[in-house]
């Protein structure tokens, strides 16, 4: 239900009530909004005990009453910030564990006793989970007042940090399930643990003074533009400079250190300054998004220039609300740090924020709390706490695939996306099952063919619709990206399913990779700098440099709006130059890492630097790029390789570069290894660039020699099943295993060298033929380039017993100096597994060769059984290396259960094997089986059983598509007379949408 207004406010109490109000330890925003609710409760004659870790002055500056009692206790820590703009996800989980999990029993006992001691009539939480459980234990009703809940915030952290933290999220949801109902504030996140909800207006602090009074007290003339800098602490190492502000502006700085030296056009605000008055008196605000800043900016119509915070999952929903009411301008973090503020501030003061809804949420919430304490029942009785918890688990802790957006995020995002109609257009099918070519007909295709690919048709349709009016920032930016009278190049690169080979690629193994149906599309246009339509901040940046048009790269990434990455990226291409030479890869990695919300751009922009460095390509024109990927991220299906390959293919096509698919893949690997900083092998990029639909790309990774395309026999079918556990090739587990393998190879080469010396010393020149053969083998092993070139029997005969289980980095370096891997670094303090990472690629290479040979053998039950056995062996070898996961192990076990069931045996065998894929540590499981209806039914059965056990419904990868080389590129041009309605009022729309 929604309550917009209470005409009588909060009535004076009919009896004296006692409220226990718990406040989370995350920032001041919660405390300030709680203060507004508390003020109304106290004015109604009630006692309020506030349980908080916030300073007293936050409450006492607004509420001076003997009825206010402050109890300083911290019962949850919120999100730990690495700096003013970045949340440390792992540290947040660890601190919450220390604060609220380990002492949980003691907390519950103390809080239950305390609630009974003060004779509390109602417990209110914003939004401390354990408060709800303590209230239930004390026999007291409880209500939450919030716009987000910690189970929602932490769910994504758990996926990033590891599922061993998952119990934290489940416990929080269980605690919230004891809450009677939720008073929900605007800008809310999905909160499935609460099944009964009352929506109220914004809760904002009241104004004490008029804007004119505030300016007079501050001594700020009316003709001076005033901006309040409100970050709750400044980014570390940041020094404010006078030139950051346009002429005639003054900046009021919140939270500035007493020792900080400020320029003359910056002024430090007192620690206890009342910010609502100052916000209302300012022309705009610059800061990070939080409920307090957004609500007060909207309430008092102060335009808000905001910088994204990384990994605080409340932000996208507040950001959408802010932009919906035309009150926000996003600033790139790079421009914040470098002081390029002018275009954003000037844009902000041109806005006309239009929030007209109520701002009396504090009064409304207090009325509801009072009536609840009197005994009024706002909640429905049909849902028990256990039912709410079950629904929370079903709705909450799933990751879901959806085309064109960040993938490994809680399903709540998908819910919000549906509500906002933000999904990419689907590919409609006609009654014959063929893709409708709506959107394609708006373009002349000057080169290439869509090849009947429905996702390519859908991408072209999305291009044709970009001129429509959009409210989403990424769509508005994309609508401005291209000159529709010029040619556009479109490329496509799929992800890949690792059927066999996996992590043995960096050891030179044969690998078998299948390009999947899901792919990344890139649209690119070259523009002369004098004709390039720049975004306003990029134009201002060029003007500041003298105004001469120079080449600029502008990228829009679809699918970022509800994620932790910015939707746009731009840079002067001259930033890639150091004098007359390209900058180093090390400098480039640092350049992209300075803003985590834009680190994704390294995968796209990095290809330009690699082409400059490796091929000497000079880029004199500006480049506009639109990137839209449906390859799920974090699933181990090479989402990053698809982006890299599609981006480089588009740049090559637009610039007339004749690069073979193989060479393009090798160049893309350099992007990932040296600019992104992920130590991947080359098979991902090769599969994406060189693969063909319904075939396995057979490649020997020394470094990338294609040995053929292997047809998948008609009686065999391959699936991928996503475990829901986020995989990252840049993770520590993968890197440690890779280091262990290179350590093992160094040890083998050293031992071979010593063996060769010993034989020669013992026998002199009198070597018989057998000894000469031994010498030749030892010579080969002394100069081993790839671990996979060592035959398994030689390893077992000579080296297996001498390779240690593990070794300290310091010990290895003392004896061997280095491990000769250019993309990983040994940490002296770290202990590395060596034996298992060394054994794996030696035997994996043999398994892949056997697998490839079996695929071309006669069809038989033994063929399928043996193929499946090879997958199982690979899977357990991954686990021995430390690259397994609970989720992938569970899926493999489910496949085994189905395979050996009586029903399967009666069918003559259906599913026959499964293995973890790619870099391991989660991601996707590859399953092989008989191509029949029963196998498909069994895959569906496994999907449902996995969901029942884990609460997560896996995505199933089925089908294949051509690699980037086979697809080629499209060169398209908008038709002069487009389909009716597609480009109406084009110029007017562009002008209106200009950002």
């Amino acid at each position: 239900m929604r309550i917009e207004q209470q005409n009588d406010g909060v009535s004076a109490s009919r009896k004296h009530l006692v409220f226990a109000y718990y406040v989370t330890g995350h920032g001041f925003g919660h405390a300030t909004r709680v203060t507004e609710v508390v003020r109304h409760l106290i004015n109604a004659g009630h006692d309020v005990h506030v349980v908080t870790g916030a300073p007293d002055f936050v409450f006492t500056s607004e509420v001076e009453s003997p009825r206010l009692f402050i109890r300083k206790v911290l019962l949850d820590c919120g999100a730990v910030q690495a700096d003013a703009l970045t949340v440390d996800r792992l540290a947040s989980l660890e601190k919450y564990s220390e604060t609220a999990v380990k002492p949980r029993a003691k907390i519950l006992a103390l809080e239950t006793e305390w609630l009974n001691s003060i004779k509390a009539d109602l417990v209110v939480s914003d939004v401390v989970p354990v408060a709800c459980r303590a209230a239930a234990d004390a026999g007291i009703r409880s209500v939450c007042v919030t716009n987000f809940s910690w189970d929602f915030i932490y769910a994504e952290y758990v996926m990033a940090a590891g599922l061993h933290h998952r119990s934290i999220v489940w416990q929080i949801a269980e605690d919230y399930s004891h809450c009677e109902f939720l008073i929900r504030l605007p800008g809310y996140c999905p909160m499935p643990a609460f099944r009964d909800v009352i929506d109220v207006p914004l809760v904002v602090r009241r104004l004490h003074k008029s804007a004119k009074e505030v300016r007079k007290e501050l001594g700020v003339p009316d003709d001076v533009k005033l901006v309040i800098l409100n970050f709750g602490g400044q980014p570390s190492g940041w020094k404010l400079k006078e030139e950051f502000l346009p002429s005639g502006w003054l900046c009021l700085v919140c939270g500035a250190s007493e020792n900080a030296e400020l320029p003359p056009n910056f002024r430090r605000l007192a620690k206890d300054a009342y910010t609502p008055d100052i916000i209302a008196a300012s022309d705009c605000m610059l800061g990070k998004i939080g409920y307090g800043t957004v609500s007060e900016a909207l309430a008092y119509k102060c335009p808000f220039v905001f910088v994204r915070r990384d990994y605080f999952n409340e932000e996208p929903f507040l950001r959408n609300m802010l932009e919906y009411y035309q009150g926000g301008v996003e600033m790139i973090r790079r421009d914040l740090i470098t002081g390029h503020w002018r275009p954003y501030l000037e844009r902000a003061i041109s806005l006309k924020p239009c929030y007209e809804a109520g701002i009396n949420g504090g009064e409304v919430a207090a009325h509801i709390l009072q009536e609840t304490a009197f005994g009024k029942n706002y909640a429905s009785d049909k849902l028990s706490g256990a039912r709410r918890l079950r629904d929370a688990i079903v709705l909450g802790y799933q990751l879901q695939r959806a085309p064109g957006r960040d993938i490994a995020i809680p399903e709540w995002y998908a819910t919000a996306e549906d509500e906002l109609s933000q999904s990419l257009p689907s590919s409609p099918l006609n009654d014959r099952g063929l893709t409708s070519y709506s959107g394609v007909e708006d373009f002349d295709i000057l080169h290439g063919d869509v090849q009947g690919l429905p996702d390519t048709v859908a991408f072209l349709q999305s291009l044709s619709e970009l001129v429509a009016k959009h409210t989403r920032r990424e769509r508005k930016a994309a609508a401005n990206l291209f000159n529709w009278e010029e040619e556009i190049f479109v490329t496509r690169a799929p992800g890949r399913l690792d059927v066999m080979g996996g992590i043995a690629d960096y050891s030179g193994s044969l690998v078998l990779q299948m390009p999947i149906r899901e792919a990344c599309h890139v649209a690119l246009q070259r523009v002369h700098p004098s004709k390039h339509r720049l975004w306003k901040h990029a134009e201002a940046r060029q003007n500041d440099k003298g105004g001469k048009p120079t080449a600029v790269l502008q990228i829009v990434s679809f699918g970022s709006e509800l994620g932790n990455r910015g939707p746009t990226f731009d840079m002067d291409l001259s930033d890639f130059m150091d004098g007359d030479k390209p900058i180093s890869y090390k400098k480039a990695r640092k350049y992209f890492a300075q803003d985590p919300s834009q680190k994704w751009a390294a995968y796209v922009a990095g290809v330009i630097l690699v082409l400059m460095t490796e091929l000497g390509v000079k880029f004199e024109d500006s480049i506009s790029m639109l990137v839209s990927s449906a390859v799920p991220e974090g699933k181990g299906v090479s989402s990053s390789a698809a982006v890299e390959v599609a981006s480089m293919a588009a740049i090559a096509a637009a610039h007339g570069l004749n690069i073979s698919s193989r060479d393009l893949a090798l160049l893309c690997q350099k992007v990932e290894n040296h600019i992104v900083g992920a130590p991947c092998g080359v098979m991902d990029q090769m599969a994406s660039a060189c693969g063909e639909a319904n075939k396995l790309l057979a490649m020997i990774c020394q470094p990338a020699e294609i040995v053929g395309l292997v047809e998948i026999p008609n009686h065999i079918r391959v699936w991928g099943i996503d475990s829901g556990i986020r995989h990252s090739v840049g993770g520590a587990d993968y890197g440690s295993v890779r280091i262990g393998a290179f350590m093992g190879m160094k040890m083998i080469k050293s031992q071979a060298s010593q063996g060769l010396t010993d034989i020669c010393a013992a026998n002199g020149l009198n070597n018989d033929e057998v000894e000469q053969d031994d010498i030749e083998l030892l010579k080969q092993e002394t100069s081993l380039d790839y671990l996979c070139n060592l035959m398994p029997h030689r390893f077992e005969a000579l080296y297996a017993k001498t390779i240690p289980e593990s070794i300290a980095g310091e010990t290895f370096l003392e004896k061997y100096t280095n491990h000769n891997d250019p993309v990983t670094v040994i940490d002296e303090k770290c202990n590395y597994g060596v034996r298992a990472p060394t054994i794996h690629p030696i035997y994996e290479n043999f398994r892949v060769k056997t697998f490839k040979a079996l695929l071309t053998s006669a069809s038989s039950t033994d063929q399928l059984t043996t193929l499946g056995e090879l997958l199982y062996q690979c899977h357990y070898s991954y686990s021995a290396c430390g690259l397994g996961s609970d989720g992938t192990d569970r899926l493999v076990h489910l496949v085994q259960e189905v395979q050996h069931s009586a029903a399967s045996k009666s069918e003559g065998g259906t599913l026959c094997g499964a293995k973890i894929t790619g870099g391991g540590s989660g991601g996707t499981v590859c399953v092989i089986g008989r191509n029949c209806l029963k196998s498909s039914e069994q895959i569906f059965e496994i999907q449902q059983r996995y969901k029942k056990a884990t609460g997560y419904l896996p995505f199933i990868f089925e089908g294949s598509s051509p690699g980037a080389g086979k697809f080629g590129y499209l060169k398209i041009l908008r038709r002069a007379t487009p389909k009716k309605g597609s480009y109406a009022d084009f110029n007017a729309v562009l002008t209106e949408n200009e950002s």
Side-chain angles (χ1 to χ4, degrees):
M1 70 184 77
R2 174 175 289 278
I3 298 180
E4 293 288 353
Q5 198 80 18
Q6 290 290 334
N7 294 329
D8 56 352
V10 183
S11 58
S13 61
R14 287 162 279 179
K15 68 174 183 176
H16 173 246
L17 297 171
V18 177
F19 293 88
Y21 212 134
Y22 288 80
V23 187
T24 187
H26 182 78
F28 283 2
H30 296 268
T32 55
R33 72 188 185 195
V34 164
T35 299
E36 184 64 15
V37 180
V38 167
R39 184 174 67 83
H40 285 286
L41 289 173
I42 287 177
N43 288 345
H46 307 302
D47 286 357
V48 182
H49 294 256
V50 175
V51 183
T52 181
D56 290 3
F57 77 84
V58 177
F59 302 94
T60 57
S61 60
E62 269 296 277
V63 182
E64 296 181 7
S65 170
R67 293 186 178 277
L68 172 64
F69 304 89
I70 299 176
R71 176 170 167 250
K72 300 304 285 293
V73 178
L74 183 65
L75 297 179
D76 78 59
C77 63
V80 178
Q81 295 190 181
D83 56 41
L85 294 172
T86 304
V87 169
D88 187 325
R89 293 174 289 180
L90 181 58
S92 298
L93 294 172
E94 290 175 345
K95 188 170 181 181
Y96 186 86
S97 181
E98 293 294 326
T99 304
V101 177
K102 291 181 181 179
R104 177 177 173 81
K106 183 178 180 181
I107 289 172
L108 283 172
L110 287 175
E111 294 310 303
T112 302
E113 181 182 357
W114 176 75
L115 288 171
N116 286 323
S117 72
I118 65 169
K119 296 181 172 56
D121 294 291
L122 186 69
V123 171
V124 189
S125 178
D126 184 357
V127 61
V128 180
V130 74
C132 303
R133 175 58 186 270
D137 289 352
I140 303 169
R141 300 166 77 185
S142 63
V143 176
C144 283
V145 183
T146 185
N147 66 305
F148 74 83
S149 56
W150 287 114
D151 54 339
F152 167 73
I153 300 297
Y154 286 157
E156 191 269 340
Y157 298 0
V158 168
M159 296 304 171
L163 291 188
H164 57 284
H165 290 287
R166 194 170 198 170
S167 60
I168 290 177
V169 183
W170 286 48
Q171 185 63 70
I172 291 172
E174 197 277 334
D175 284 346
Y176 286 145
S177 74
H178 294 284
C179 169
E180 191 161 318
F181 63 90
L182 166 68
I183 297 177
R184 188 168 63 181
L185 308 181
Y188 57 83
C189 307
M191 293 176 275
F194 304 102
R195 303 301 293 166
D196 290 286
V197 176
I198 300 176
D199 287 303
V200 299
L202 287 174
V203 176
V204 296
R205 292 175 288 178
R206 58 181 176 163
L207 297 180
H208 291 170
K209 301 173 183 176
S210 67
K212 190 172 183 179
E213 289 173 321
V214 171
R215 281 180 168 259
K216 183 177 181 180
E217 287 184 5
L218 294 172
V220 179
D222 291 342
D223 61 345
V224 171
K225 296 295 182 184
L226 195 61
V227 55
I228 177 172
L229 189 65
N230 192 359
F231 276 97
Q234 312 312 326
S236 59
W238 190 32
K239 187 174 182 179
L240 298 171
K241 298 179 181 178
E242 186 174 355
E243 58 267 27
F244 286 10
L245 295 177
S247 177
W249 282 70
L250 175 67
C251 181
L252 304 176
V253 183
C254 298
S257 167
E258 294 296 329
N259 301 323
E261 294 183 11
L262 297 182
N265 52 351
F266 287 79
R267 188 182 301 177
R268 181 184 294 103
L269 282 173
K271 184 179 179 181
D272 59 351
Y274 191 63
T275 52
D277 285 348
I278 298 170
I279 289 172
S282 298
D283 293 283
C284 66
M285 176 163 54
L286 171 57
K288 63 184 180 182
I289 285 183
Y291 177 85
T293 51
V294 169
S295 62
E296 290 173 354
L298 289 175
Y300 303 122
K301 293 182 169 52
C302 178
F304 190 179
V305 179
F306 62 87
V307 182
R308 292 190 182 215
R309 283 192 289 178
D310 301 310
Y311 311 123
F312 193 61
N313 298 326
E314 168 196 20
E315 180 182 281
F317 301 91
L318 293 172
R319 187 171 70 236
N320 284 331
M321 180 173 69
L322 186 66
E323 293 185 342
Y324 179 81
Y325 290 112
Q326 301 173 38
V329 175
E330 180 176 347
M331 177 185 283
I332 299 170
R333 188 178 306 185
R334 183 175 74 244
D335 287 342
L336 171 72
I337 302 299
T338 59
H340 188 65
W341 295 7
R342 180 172 58 82
Y344 302 97
L345 298 178
E346 291 175 351
R347 170 65 176 158
I349 60 175
S350 72
L351 296 179
K352 293 180 172 56
C354 59
Y355 181 81
E356 299 294 345
I359 59 173
N360 63 331
E363 177 184 341
V364 174
H367 176 85
I368 297 169
L369 294 174
Q370 175 183 269
E371 295 302 302
T372 301
F374 283 151
K376 185 173 180 177
N377 186 15
Y378 284 97
S380 60
D381 295 326
K382 60 184 179 181
L383 296 172
S384 66
R387 169 70 183 277
R388 288 200 296 271
L389 175 60
R390 188 197 73 189
D391 286 351
I393 292 170
V394 170
L395 293 174
Y397 315 125
Q398 298 182 24
L399 303 180
Q400 198 73 331
R401 171 204 176 269
R405 66 170 175 84
D406 278 343
I407 303 303
I409 52 179
E411 186 180 300
W412 296 301
Y413 284 109
T415 303
E417 188 164 282
D418 290 340
E419 291 174 357
L420 295 168
S421 300
Q422 293 182 339
S423 58
L424 284 174
S426 59
S427 303
L429 299 178
N430 61 29
D431 55 9
R432 291 184 299 165
L434 300 175
T435 302
S436 168
Y437 274 41
S438 173
V440 177
E441 60 198 36
D442 290 337
F443 297 99
D444 287 319
I445 298 180
L446 308 179
H447 179 276
D449 182 5
V450 297
Q451 300 182 24
L453 293 165
D455 60 341
T456 301
V457 174
F459 180 70
L460 293 179
Q461 182 180 342
S462 72
L463 286 180
S464 72
E465 294 172 350
L466 281 178
V467 293
K469 294 183 179 180
H470 293 288
T471 59
R472 289 171 57 197
R473 185 168 177 267
E474 64 180 34
R475 297 285 169 155
K476 290 173 68 176
N480 267 333
L481 195 59
F482 299 121
N483 179 348
W484 296 100
E485 297 180 357
E486 301 290 338
E487 297 168 347
I488 296 173
F489 294 81
V490 175
T491 52
R492 177 189 186 278
R496 67 94 187 95
L497 181 65
D498 167 36
V499 178
M500 285 293 286
I503 59 167
D505 64 341
Y506 55 70
S507 295
S509 177
L510 173 69
V511 298
L512 298 172
Q513 307 296 308
M514 183 182 78
I516 59 176
R517 182 174 55 188
E518 291 73 19
C520 172
H521 285 85
V522 170
L524 181 145
Q525 187 175 70
R526 288 178 63 180
V527 187
H528 190 276
S530 63
K531 297 180 180 180
H532 198 187
R533 180 184 286 110
L534 298 176
W535 295 323
K536 289 187 180 297
H537 64 272
E539 182 180 8
R541 185 173 65 231
Q542 288 213 349
N543 291 336
D544 290 344
K545 292 180 178 180
K548 182 180 178 181
T550 58
V552 174
L553 171 66
Q554 294 187 155
I555 309 170
V556 175
S557 171
F558 275 179
S560 61
E561 198 67 15
L562 295 178
N564 279 315
R565 56 187 171 94
T568 64
F569 173 85
D570 66 273
M571 63 179 291
D572 295 339
L573 288 178
S574 59
D575 289 347
F576 273 152
M577 298 299 293
D578 186 1
D580 60 350
K581 295 181 179 180
I583 63 173
S584 68
Y585 291 149
K586 184 177 180 180
K587 284 185 178 179
R589 189 189 305 186
K590 185 177 180 181
Y591 178 90
F592 289 109
Q594 64 185 345
D595 186 348
S597 71
Q598 294 195 315
K599 190 175 179 180
W600 61 267
Y603 295 97
V604 183
V607 306
I608 293 176
L609 180 61
V610 167
L611 290 171
M612 286 179 169
T613 304
E614 306 299 330
L615 300 185
V617 181
K618 297 184 183 299
F619 294 92
E620 297 178 350
D621 285 343
S622 291
I623 300 173
S624 296
M625 300 178 71
L626 173 62
V627 181
S628 178
S629 182
V631 184
E633 298 177 18
K635 309 297 187 190
V637 290
S638 299
S639 58
S640 60
V643 171
E644 292 156 358
V645 170
S647 298
M648 187 168 285
I651 290 171
H655 291 82
L657 304 177
N658 186 16
I659 306 174
S660 69
S661 297
R662 176 186 179 276
D663 290 343
L664 186 140
L666 289 168
L667 291 169
C668 288
Q669 185 195 18
K670 290 183 181 293
V671 176
E672 188 136 4
N673 286 171
H674 302 303
I675 298 177
V676 176
C680 70
V682 73
M683 72 175 190
D684 298 355
Q685 290 81 7
M686 287 292 289
S688 185
C690 307
E692 293 188 18
N694 302 309
K695 296 179 182 178
L696 300 180
L697 180 73
M699 180 183 69
I700 297 175
C701 302
Q702 299 188 17
E705 306 304 324
I706 297 174
V707 294
L709 290 158
V710 183
E711 293 273 1
I712 300 175
N714 290 334
H715 66 283
I716 294 176
R717 192 168 182 181
V718 179
W719 298 266
I721 306 179
D722 161 38
S723 68
I725 300 171
R726 188 172 179 87
H727 153 82
S728 172
V729 76
D733 290 342
Y734 175 90
S736 297
V737 172
R738 175 169 176 148
I739 288 171
F742 276 84
M743 284 178 165
M745 184 168 71
K746 188 67 175 272
M747 293 175 181
I748 288 169
K749 291 170 69 175
S750 177
Q751 186 178 336
S753 179
Q754 184 62 49
L756 184 62
T757 301
D758 292 344
I759 289 176
C760 292
N763 297 322
L765 299 177
N766 298 318
N767 298 322
D768 59 26
E769 187 176 340
V770 175
E771 288 174 335
Q772 188 60 42
D773 290 341
D774 285 342
I775 289 172
E776 289 302 317
L777 285 171
L778 285 171
K779 283 181 178 179
Q780 293 173 21
E781 289 154 9
T782 298
S783 58
L784 200 63
D785 289 331
Y786 294 95
L787 195 52
C788 286
N789 289 342
L790 180 64
M791 292 174 285
H793 73 271
R794 288 287 293 176
F795 174 75
E796 291 294 344
L798 297 180
Y799 307 109
K801 295 179 181 178
T802 63
I803 301 296
E805 289 289 338
S806 63
I807 191 170
E810 183 178 20
T811 304
F812 177 86
L813 291 172
E814 286 176 357
K815 185 173 182 180
Y816 298 100
T817 307
N818 61 65
H819 66 322
N820 298 121
D821 180 13
V823 298
T824 58
V825 178
I826 294 175
D827 183 348
E828 293 184 2
K829 298 179 181 178
C830 183
N831 198 57
Y832 294 94
V834 179
R835 183 174 174 79
T838 302
I839 291 173
H840 175 81
I842 295 171
Y843 281 90
E844 182 70 358
N845 190 37
F846 176 78
R847 286 189 288 262
V848 182
K849 289 179 179 179
T850 307
F851 192 96
K852 179 174 178 288
L854 278 168
L855 283 176
T856 58
S857 66
S859 172
S860 68
T861 301
D862 286 343
Q863 179 201 35
L864 279 167
T865 303
T866 308
L867 288 170
E869 180 61 27
L870 291 170
L871 262 66
Y872 287 137
Q873 288 182 18
C874 172
H875 178 79
Y876 292 110
S877 184
Y878 261 77
S879 296
C881 290
L883 292 176
S885 74
D886 292 342
T888 51
D889 285 348
R890 183 186 293 274
L891 284 170
V892 170
H893 183 69
L894 286 171
V895 171
Q896 291 173 349
E897 286 186 350
V898 169
Q899 175 186 354
H900 299 301
S901 66
S904 183
K905 290 179 179 178
S906 68
E907 296 282 336
T910 46
L911 302 184
C912 58
K915 63 176 277 285
I916 195 171
T917 63
S921 299
T924 294
V925 164
C926 174
V927 183
I928 192 169
R930 193 179 298 280
N931 187 10
C932 62
L933 178 61
K934 185 64 176 179
S935 293
S936 297
E937 291 174 351
Q938 289 175 339
I939 290 289
F940 178 74
E941 176 189 345
I942 289 169
Q943 181 191 44
Q944 296 302 315
R945 288 174 65 182
Y946 189 81
K947 177 185 176 182
K948 184 177 181 180
T950 67
Y952 171 69
L953 182 67
F955 178 77
I956 296 174
F957 294 95
E958 290 185 272
S960 182
S961 68
K966 196 71 174 176
F967 179 83
Y969 67 90
L970 304 178
K971 184 163 65 173
I972 62 175
L973 181 66
R974 179 176 68 88
R975 289 181 174 171
T977 308
K979 188 173 63 175
K980 185 177 179 182
S982 293
Y983 297 94
D985 301 322
F986 178 72
N987 291 328
V989 171
L990 279 183
T991 301
E992 183 173 338
N993 281 342
E994 192 165 306
S995 61

